[in-house]
Amino acid sequence: MVASKLLTGVARTFGDDEIIVSKTDATGRITYCNDVFIRLAGYTESELLGQPHSMIRHPHMPRTIFKLLWERIGAGNEVFAYVVNRCKNGDHYWVLAHVTPDRDEAGKVVGYHSNRRTATAQALAVIEPLYASLRDIEAGTADRKAGLEAGWARLHDILAEKGGDYDRFVLDI
Amino acid sequence: MIALSSISKALVACLMSAAAGGVAAVMLAVQGHGVTAALVCAAVVANAVGFHFLRRANSGVAKAIHVMEQAAMGNLRVRVLNIRGTGGIGRLQRSINRALDQFEAFAKEADAAMGAALSSRYYRKIMPRGLRGEFVRYSHCINETMDRMDEQNRKLGMFTSRMLKDAVSISMTVNEGAVANAEIVASIDQIASQTNLLALNATIEAARAGEAGKGFAVVAGEVKALSNQTARATTDISTRVANLRQEMAVIVNTMTRGSDAIAKGRQSMQSMGGRMGTVSQTVADATDSMAEVSRILAQQAAAANQISGGVQKMAHLAESNAIAIEKSSSALINVEGEVAALLALLAEQDIPNKIIMLAKADHVLWKKRLVDMLIGRTALRAEELSSEQQCRLGKWYYGPGSMPFRSHPAFAALEEPHRQVHREGIEAVRAYNAGQVEIAMERIARVQQASLGVLANLDRLLEAPTTPSAGRGAF
Ligand SMILES: Cc1cc2nc3c(=O)[nH]c(=O)nc-3n(C[C@H](O)[C@H](O)[C@H](O)COP(=O)(O)O)c2cc1C
């Protein structure tokens, strides 16, 4: 697992007319990933299927954002979030992820779905410093749980300054 | 397997050819054709390899069929998993997944955008980035529609809130008006009941005075009739005001249910317009009836004055009735106070021809002061009484306020009796102060006569078809 922590600092990109798609079961294990996903992440399909989605988690992602993500989709809502992912070889790629519950014909949630689009440089100019500050706050306490709570509080302070609506904030930048 | 696919048929052919080849190889070996048997064996092995690949292709196609069958049923969540190779079958499977990725992404976006529009979050549009071809075109089309919905919704919202504000301010004005009306009604009520008392008193006195009190009794009867008329007018106003209030409540209620208004938009606006029309009609009606009441009041005051004239005569006829006269007169004093209060209230209201009505009442009160002097209630000096130019009617008559009435014959006819009222009144005070009571009484009788002329001409003016706003702005 030491190898998985390696970061090259190399950014990978994909086309504006491409979407990176993945699906998970209700617990977050990957049940499908498309060819764009496979190309960017650098894993094979069989390496990815059945694994937890945190397999491509990048250490720079604040935990606060994933807490927000799970809270939203757990309540049956859609969520947009800027996410940086880590490739198998330590490269990374930024995406604007849209995560939604997948429902069967009866309306029951059977898993989750994510479409990821390219992130604009303009958005990243806002997001990267924000995530860096959240990460610092999260790491600022000895207790992991307290760190997450502090990050959560900070995010909501920032949102309150910008009008209080996370969706508007994330779609407007 | 009733309907076999081409691949399945090829698989069956492979099996048959392998079986035939196997049998041939054994037969050739038995017959001692070693080389030929080995060749046939090689053919059988090649056949087996072909069979293997054909089977793989068959299962790849089967997976694709399974996914597409579900997609054809409207399930966009399915995908082909464990795709192998870059050959035709692998490409087919990837293309199926890509197509489903596009379909599902568009469906999810459209779903989210429409859901957001339902709760007026028009900023949540379809994100066309990552979509391709016709999906992009459809996305732009839907987004444009949402922009337009947003704009219309904003306009409608602005319109509704403006209407709501209007309604609230109208209802406030009407309420204020209603309070003012209620005050008027209350004071009219009071006057009516006091006039009734007065009439009762006068009737009793007339009976006591016998023959001499006959004229007095007639006046008393008239006063009673007037007070009944006043009471009727009062109820009339009350009902109208109540109706008006109710009508306003309905409007405000209608407008508060703003969310319905968005759906029923135009329709409710139209009916709203209708209602507004009704309301303004009702307000106009209420104003009319207030004018009517104030005219009745003026007449009533005149009648009250006649009573006081009668009372004066009675005082001369029978000194012994002095106490009774004093009683009636003190009731009159109350009436005077009420009339004055009413005048102040009337002055605040915007009623057409207000000035003329006020002038009538002014003159009644003016005459009453003369009578008060005669019965010794007040002392008057000639200098205290205004000339015909200085009174409220005079200021109006000789000022710009009367412009719209000047061509009316009653206007010219009004001047002489009005001048006479003032001249005779002032002379009456002079005579009374010089101790010539008889002369003073004669002059007051002339005041009374002239005053009838003033009132009659004023009434003609009130009925004149001049612009109804003629009386406004005179103050
Ligand atoms: C549909 C779906 C897609 C997800 N995509 C990602 C992703 O691209 N990158 C990522 O780091 N986490 C993703 N997550 C969140 C992970 O499940 C996980 O919460 C996150 O990686 C944090 O992992 P941790 O809780 O182990 O720290 C996704 C979750 C779901 C349900």
Side-chain angles (χ1 to χ4, degrees), chain A residues 24 53-54 56-57 66 70 73 85 99 112-114 116:
Chain A
T24 71
H53 221 307
S54 53
I56 55 163
R57 191 193 197 295
F66 291 121
W70 279 102
I73 59 175
N85 282 323
V99 188
Y112 299 103
H113 175 111
S114 176
R116 302 170 189 79

Side-chain angles (χ1 to χ4, degrees), chain B residues 261 263-273:
Chain B
K264 292 178 198 158
R266 187 173 294 167
Q267 196 191 342
S268 78
M269 294 299 163
Q270 273 168 358
S271 78
M272 196 104 72

Side-chain angles (χ1 to χ4, degrees), chain B residues 364-438:
Chain B
V364 170
L365 287 178
W366 200 77
K367 281 186 292 174
K368 185 173 172 303
R369 292 178 72 193
L370 294 177
V371 175
D372 278 349
M373 174 192 74
L374 271 188
I375 62 171
R377 186 181 289 286
T378 53
L380 278 181
R381 285 181 297 124
E383 302 81 65
E384 264 178 68
L385 293 179
S386 56
S387 78
E388 75 275 10
Q389 315 246 348
Q390 293 157 336
C391 70
R392 193 174 349 220
L393 179 60
K395 281 186 190 143
W396 170 80
Y397 190 91
Y398 298 106
S402 61
M403 288 297 189
F405 292 93
R406 290 203 178 159
S407 58
H408 195 285
F411 187 80
L414 174 63
E415 188 171 25
E416 188 41 41
H418 181 224
R419 195 179 288 155
Q420 222 175 331
V421 164
H422 283 269
R423 200 177 47 225
E424 294 295 339
I426 291 169
E427 285 309 313
V429 172
R430 286 218 177 94
Y432 185 81
N433 287 344
Q436 302 165 305
V437 179
E438 289 300 319

Side-chain angles (χ1 to χ4, degrees), chain B residues 459-475:
Chain B
D459 280 337
R460 282 169 66 200
L461 280 184
L462 276 178
E463 283 156 24
T466 335
T467 57
S469 60
R472 292 182 194 172
F475 284 108

Side-chain angles (χ1 to χ4, degrees), chain A residues 20 22-30 37 52-58 61-63 66-67 69-70 73 83-86 93 95 97-100 111-116 144:
Chain A
I20 299 174
S22 69
K23 287 173 173 287
T24 71
D25 61 15
T27 66
R29 285 185 184 272
I30 298 170
F37 190 119
H53 221 307
S54 53
M55 182 175 188
I56 55 163
R57 191 193 197 295
H58 195 285
M61 274 303 289
R63 283 182 287 142
F66 291 121
K67 175 175 158 67
L69 181 146
W70 279 102
I73 59 175
V83 176
V84 60
N85 282 323
R86 184 188 172 281
Y93 58 98
V95 298
H98 178 228
V99 188
T100 49
Y112 299 103
H113 175 111
S114 176
N115 285 321
R116 302 170 189 79
R144 268 179 66 82

